[in-house]
Every structure is written in structure tokens, then in C-alpha cells.
Amino acid sequence: MYAQLVKTAGTGVKTREEMSDEERNFQDRVDRDEKIEPKDWMPDDYRATLIRQIGQHAHSEIVGQLPEGNWITRAPTLERKAILLAKVQDEAGHGLYLYGAAETLGVTRDELTEELLSGRMKYSSIFNYPTLNWADIGAVGWLVDGAAIMNQVPLQRTSYGPYSRAMIRICKEESFHQRQGYDIMMKMAAGNDAQRRMAQDALNRFWYPSLMMFGPSDKDSVHSAQSLAWKIKIDTNDELRQRFVDQTVPQAKYLGLTIPDEHLKWNEDRGAHDFSEPDWTEFFNVIKGKGPCNVERMEARVKAWEDGAWVRDGLMAHARKKTAARTAAE
Amino acid sequence: MAGKTNDDALFQFLLRMGDNSLILGHRVSEWCGLSPVLEEDIALANTALDLIGQTQFWLGLAGEVEGKGRTADDLAFLRDAWDFRNVLMVELPNGDFGQTMMRQFLYDAWSQVMVGRLIKSGDKRIADIAEKASKEVAYHVERSADTVVGLGDGSEESHARMQAAIDYLWPYVGEMFDGDEVDAAMVAAGIAPDPASLREEYDALVNKVLSEATLKVPTDVFHHKGGRTGYMHTEHLGHLLTSMQWLQRAYPGATW
């Protein structure tokens, strides 16, 4: 899940009696699974929440290039290097569709970028963790993209048309990403002692941060209830986390790796795994900027943006010259 | 069929082609996530990806021609600097975005002329690789030329940076047109052109683009050399290989 702790605007779900005619009409359309399109009427709070959610998702794709980029120059074979490049390129592409979707709500990409760089908007907590050995690239695909897909597959049915369409495209690519991640893990798990150690070490470090990606429990949250009613959130955080654990446990077993949770066990009555909660204190620290890589990630983005200013200005100046020359010729 | 000597020359020629795309692809990939604008992140990753793809073909064929069972990966990850045959220009550090794009253009322009000739190679394996690469190269040169023009003829600052980039890189251009006994053997076998014969077409393209970019082409004819013969690389190559080859060196024989 690349959007976490997105604060839903407004004061919670209104009853039909409390809604204006426009709001009632809007909610009816959402309930009938009609897509809301950019020019349609929508509540201000719906628009504001979507901008936060889509913007945070877009920022996550952009910042998410960094931990994987950390290994592009050290990828162990030409094929692995090519696959990783293609994957990171896809992620930049996802950022582009998502910023595009956000722009249909009346905010520009530059405005969203400024919000990110000033720290007012967040990106997923997961990208504040380091990639330390090659198996981390496998674990990122397997667990991080796996968790993202868990959230994004339902979002293909989200009420906002441009967001839903972006999700459909993104999900196709993400499932390829997850497969390539698992493929790395299979190679590592079947490799020599050092490679198996890398694989286990990657799982040890990425397991709980992956569970955190879904955000803290929100079953009693009035804000989540509103997002669920608007269908910009489809499942609760706990439902998604449970689904992720249930999917991942047999995959880890197949690899011969141990999930670092001594309380993990199948619960026959629930038909689901019981598992330990991640350390939510750590999660809130990461969100507040105290994760292992927050400072580096933000520095890298700020530096890229500032170092690139002359390029953007230069290309704009060129475009203006071209326009002026065309106008003069007419 | 070519005799042993010709196969040695062919092997060297293929290393030159493959090492150019490998080392430049590696340099371009260093930009991942750090470029001035999102579209450039995508375009640079795409360029690097194409170059690594071309590397797989060139070095794959090099290994085949050598006949010692070495794969493209063995050649990329298990040779030391003195066995690399890329021109010096591609191993230079990226510098700023302008320097990276100027280098890309200077290389793409050469690559376009070269690949255009190799499509007609008497060795079908080489002609096939060139045919595949030619579509990518056409797109690369179009994009890098556009960027050089946009930044050269952009703001005062972007113009100055692009002029500095061409001034810095120009002494590395000439090496792409040097010829030796390897090239003579390729010409004699009808496999590849004499490098010097590419120069006229190259200069025409470069002069046209740089003039549109309002940049001055340096007139000094001096050039550095030593990369394509392996006699003397820059100090930068060893550091590049240190990261690129690290896993293969640290865990010999592992499958990734």
C-alpha cells in the first residue's frame, strides 16, 4: 500500500438526511458503482482526500526508485540489471500516471512535488528502509510490491475514474514486478550458503516494515468509514494485512525461509494465520522522519530537484524562443 | 571461414562494440531516480536498458567467437580493466545532466553511423544485431540531439553548461575514429567499416545539431586514446568495475 494514514477530509459519514441534494446524488452514483469523472460534481472533501491519497501514492513511486536504484549499478548479471532497470522505469511511469490522475482534480505536478520536498506530503514508510544486500531487491519485489498489489487490486474498482484506470495499468505491471522479486528469492534460496543467508536476512528486515505498509488498524476510524463510503478505500487495513500474511506464509515456506515471528500460526477457527503486530512505535517514528533512510531519501529528492532546476529552466527558455520565432514568422 | 587470426580480431571488434554499450549503459543507469524531471528518469532508464540489451548481443557473440565457453556475463563481470575495449568517453563520470546528455549525443551520433554500416556487414550475425539496435539508436539520437539543442539554445546558464560539456568531451571524440590492425582485418573481411570512414557523416550530423544548439564546436584536433586498444584507460573505469562486478567477484560461481 503506497498510501498510508491518508487523512480523510470532513467530519465522517453523513446520514442521507444530513446530505445536500448534490451530495445525495453523488453518493447514489458511487453506490451504483458509476465512475466519477473530473468534470462531475464532487464533494470538496472527496476531492481533497483523493489529492492526498493519489499524491502520496505518486510520491511513493518516485521515492521508491531510490532503494532499488541503489542496486542497479551492482546487479549481478546483465539480465538482472536489465530487469531491474525496466522495473524502476515502470515505477517512474506509475508516478507519471498518478500525477496525471491527481492533476485532473485541479492540482499541478509541480505543486505536489513542492509538497513532497517541503515534507508536507508523505510517501510510503517502506521506502525509508535500506536495501543492504542483493536479496533485498528480491524481497522488495516479493513483499513490498506484493503488499502494494494487495491494496491496489481492489482500488481498480475505486469510484474516481482516472484513479481507477491508472490502477488497472499499474496492477498489470506490479504483478510482473512481484514475480521477478520472487524469482530472485528462489534463486537466492536455492543458492549457496551466503545467498541463503542474504535471503533470510532480507526477509528478517522487510517482514515487519511490509506489514506496516497497510497502516495501523482502522476498523474504528470515522475517517476510514468515509473513505470506504466514497469507495476510495475498498477494504480496511486489517483485512488487507491479513490477506497479505495468508498469501505470503506459504510462499516463504516454499522458499525454505523463516518468517521472523514466533507467534505466527494457522488458526483453524478463523481460517487465517495469527501473527504478531509490527512495532507501531517504530512505524510512527518512520512517518515522523526518524526511519533509517528518511534523511537520505529526502536529500536525494531535493538534490535532484535543485540540481535539475537549470535544465528545466533551460528547456522552458528554449520552448519560449521557439514559440516566439513561430509567432514572428506568422 | 575466418582463420584463427581473424577470429581474434573479430573477438576484439565485438568487445569494442559490447564494452561501449556496457560501460555507457552502466553510467546512464547511475542516474536512476535522480534526474531533473520525471520524464527524464524514464528516458534515461530506457536508454540504459537498450544499451544493456545491446551489450548482451555483442558480448554474447564475442564469447561465441572466442570459443572458450565464456558468456556475456563472464565477459562483463569477470574481466579486469585492461581487458576492456570501450572508448574512454563512455567511462567518464556523468558530470551534470548536460554533460551526460552531450556525451550521449556524441556517442549516439557515432552509433547511428556505425550501426547503419554494420547492417550491411558480411557477417550475418553482426548485421542482425545491428538491425535490431538501429531502431533503438535512431530514437536515442533523436532524443539526445533534441536535448542538446534545447539546453544549448535555452537559458544563459544552460547554454554555458552545454558549451562547457562539449569543450570537456571533445578531446574524447576522436578515439571513436581511430583505426588499427583489428579494424584493418574487419575491413578486409567485409565485416565492419574503417572507423575513419565514419567521420564525415558524423561531423555533418554533429555540426548541424551543435549549430542549432548555438554551441561552438572546438577546433582542437588533439584527442585522448587508449580505451579501444586497452592500452590505457582512465582512472574512472576501475571504480566503475568495482561496483559493477562486486557480487560476481565476492561470490564466485554463484547463480543469480
Side-chain angles (χ1 to χ4, degrees):
Chain A
M1 188 182 213
Y2 286 168
Q4 305 159 307
L5 290 185
V6 173
K7 190 175 174 314
T8 308
T11 48
V13 186
K14 290 183 184 175
T15 63
R16 286 188 75 78
E17 290 68 40
E18 288 165 340
M19 288 180 187
S20 67
D21 289 346
E22 279 169 320
E23 285 169 338
R24 241 187 323 267
N25 180 38
F26 174 84
Q27 189 61 52
D28 288 343
R29 292 188 61 198
V30 170
D31 291 344
R32 286 196 300 269
D33 283 332
E34 279 178 34
K35 293 290 177 233
I36 307 301
E37 295 299 335
K39 289 189 174 146
D40 297 347
W41 186 88
M42 62 186 83
D44 290 343
D45 291 338
Y46 174 86
R47 183 187 300 274
T49 308
L50 267 177
I51 289 174
R52 280 183 209 148
Q53 183 169 333
I54 301 174
Q56 192 184 112
H57 189 163
H59 297 329
S60 299
E61 299 282 358
I62 303 312
V63 178
Q65 294 181 88
L66 299 171
E68 295 190 300
N70 183 40
W71 279 92
I72 283 181
T73 54
R74 290 178 292 169
T77 68
L78 294 170
E79 192 187 6
R80 290 290 177 204
K81 194 182 182 79
I83 292 171
L84 187 54
L85 272 164
K87 177 174 191 281
V88 176
Q89 185 189 16
D90 284 347
E91 272 146 20
H94 298 171
L96 208 54
Y97 316 148
L98 287 163
Y99 284 125
E103 283 183 319
T104 65
L105 293 161
V107 60
T108 66
R109 200 208 300 180
D110 282 359
E111 283 164 355
L112 289 170
T113 301
E114 278 165 27
E115 296 270 312
L116 170 69
L117 299 183
S118 67
R120 287 192 300 274
M121 277 183 91
K122 302 291 183 200
Y123 52 90
S124 176
S125 57
I126 193 72
F127 300 118
N128 290 311
Y129 288 87
T131 50
L132 301 178
N133 79 55
W134 172 251
D136 286 15
I137 297 305
V140 167
W142 171 36
L143 301 173
V144 174
D145 293 327
I149 293 170
M150 207 48 88
N151 176 248
Q152 290 169 9
V153 165
L155 280 177
Q156 294 178 101
R157 294 182 282 115
T158 188
S159 60
Y160 189 56
Y163 192 25
S164 153
R165 290 188 288 275
M167 280 300 143
I168 290 169
R169 288 183 69 171
I170 289 172
C171 281
K172 282 188 191 139
E173 294 178 347
E174 290 291 357
S175 62
F176 159 76
H177 294 172
Q178 194 194 14
R179 279 202 299 276
Q180 71 81 34
Y182 196 69
D183 184 61
I184 292 179
M185 293 309 282
M186 286 202 296
K187 274 277 188 322
M188 301 298 281
N192 61 30
D193 289 350
Q195 287 174 300
R196 275 193 298 278
R197 186 175 161 197
M198 289 180 210
Q200 184 62 53
D201 177 54
L203 175 57
N204 291 349
R205 282 180 289 103
F206 274 97
W207 175 252
Y208 287 106
S210 299
L211 297 186
M212 291 176 198
M213 286 175 70
F214 300 96
S217 181
D218 58 352
K219 56 184 185 296
D220 305 320
S221 156
V222 290
H223 291 298
S224 284
Q226 177 63 84
S227 281
L228 288 163
W230 279 333
K231 295 188 184 168
I232 54 183
K233 189 174 173 78
I234 309 287
D235 303 278
T236 68
N237 296 349
D238 288 330
E239 285 164 347
L240 292 167
R241 188 169 14 250
Q242 182 70 55
R243 217 177 285 165
F244 174 76
V245 170
D246 291 338
Q247 173 185 286
T248 308
V249 168
Q251 294 172 341
K253 196 171 172 201
Y254 181 79
L255 293 171
L257 298 178
T258 308
I259 289 176
D261 177 0
E262 56 185 32
H263 299 113
L264 181 77
K265 65 168 195 299
W266 178 252
N267 181 327
E268 199 63 56
D269 297 340
R270 292 202 304 123
H273 290 88
D274 292 338
F275 58 93
S276 303
E277 289 277 310
D279 177 353
W280 292 111
T281 309
E282 176 181 316
F283 171 78
F284 285 107
N285 273 331
V286 174
I287 294 286
K288 279 184 274 185
K290 294 174 182 164
C293 300
N294 294 60
V295 173
E296 282 94 336
R297 300 290 185 247
M298 285 309 289
E299 262 176 15
R301 288 313 308 164
V302 169
K303 183 173 189 312
W305 188 246
E306 288 176 355
D307 287 355
W310 73 268
V311 176
R312 297 188 300 275
D313 292 347
L315 293 174
M316 289 305 288
H318 180 71
R320 280 192 300 273
K321 283 183 197 177
K322 283 281 184 206
T323 312
R326 264 200 307 277
T327 314
E330 277 163 12
Chain B
M1 275 307 286
K4 188 180 182 314
T5 318
N6 270 353
D7 268 0
D8 283 349
L10 181 55
F11 177 61
Q12 290 298 317
F13 168 77
L14 291 166
L15 289 183
R16 288 173 179 178
M17 294 302 293
D19 289 347
N20 279 343
S21 52
L22 172 63
I23 301 300
L24 184 60
H26 185 95
R27 281 293 186 220
V28 174
S29 79
E30 291 172 357
W31 274 98
C32 176
L34 305 173
S35 83
V37 63
L38 192 46
E39 284 80 354
E40 293 300 335
D41 271 327
I42 296 174
L44 287 167
N46 192 51
T47 303
L49 187 55
D50 288 343
L51 289 166
I52 298 304
Q54 291 168 20
T55 304
Q56 288 173 297
F57 288 119
W58 291 123
L59 292 186
L61 182 54
E64 232 176 275
V65 165
E66 188 195 31
K68 291 183 184 165
R70 288 204 282 183
T71 63
D73 281 338
D74 293 335
L75 291 170
F77 295 96
L78 299 173
R79 280 178 299 153
D80 202 343
W82 56 49
D83 285 331
F84 274 77
R85 294 291 179 266
N86 56 282
V87 293
L88 299 177
M89 186 171 76
V90 298
E91 70 196 45
L92 297 175
N94 286 332
D96 66 11
F97 180 78
Q99 188 179 309
T100 294
M101 291 311 296
M102 181 62 82
R103 179 184 60 195
Q104 191 65 38
F105 169 66
L106 294 171
Y107 174 81
D108 291 341
W110 171 83
S111 183
Q112 187 177 41
V113 181
M114 183 64 166
V115 162
R117 304 284 177 92
L118 291 180
I119 286 176
K120 291 170 256 163
S121 171
D123 187 323
K124 188 170 180 310
R125 298 167 300 180
I126 289 178
D128 287 348
I129 297 174
E131 178 74 43
K132 281 196 208 86
S134 66
K135 295 174 193 84
E136 295 166 355
V137 171
Y139 160 74
H140 292 176
V141 74
E142 188 185 328
R143 186 182 100 76
S144 58
D146 276 357
T147 310
V148 165
V149 170
L151 293 174
D153 183 29
S155 66
E156 204 174 310
E157 182 180 6
S158 72
H159 176 85
R161 283 177 182 259
M162 294 312 277
Q163 187 63 53
I166 185 70
D167 291 347
Y168 171 70
L169 291 167
W170 192 251
Y172 295 94
V173 166
E175 190 188 6
M176 296 190 285
F177 305 97
D178 282 347
D180 61 9
E181 67 282 2
V182 169
D183 300 292
M186 292 300 99
V187 173
I191 291 175
D194 173 8
S197 73
L198 311 178
R199 188 77 206 230
E200 198 180 326
E201 200 180 335
Y202 180 85
D203 280 345
L205 175 58
V206 168
N207 286 331
K208 178 176 161 287
V209 169
L210 292 185
S211 134
E212 212 185 313
T214 71
L215 297 170
K216 283 194 204 68
V217 183
T219 49
D220 192 342
V221 294
F222 164 80
H223 71 262
H224 296 288
K225 58 188 173 193
R228 73 195 298 279
T229 60
Y231 174 67
M232 193 159 72
H233 281 279
T234 66
E235 290 181 343
H236 307 294
L237 182 62
H239 293 282
L240 184 154
L241 297 181
T242 302
S243 7
M244 187 175 88
Q245 300 183 335
W246 179 66
L247 278 174
Q248 290 262 2
R249 298 288 192 179
Y251 303 98
T255 307
W256 304 94

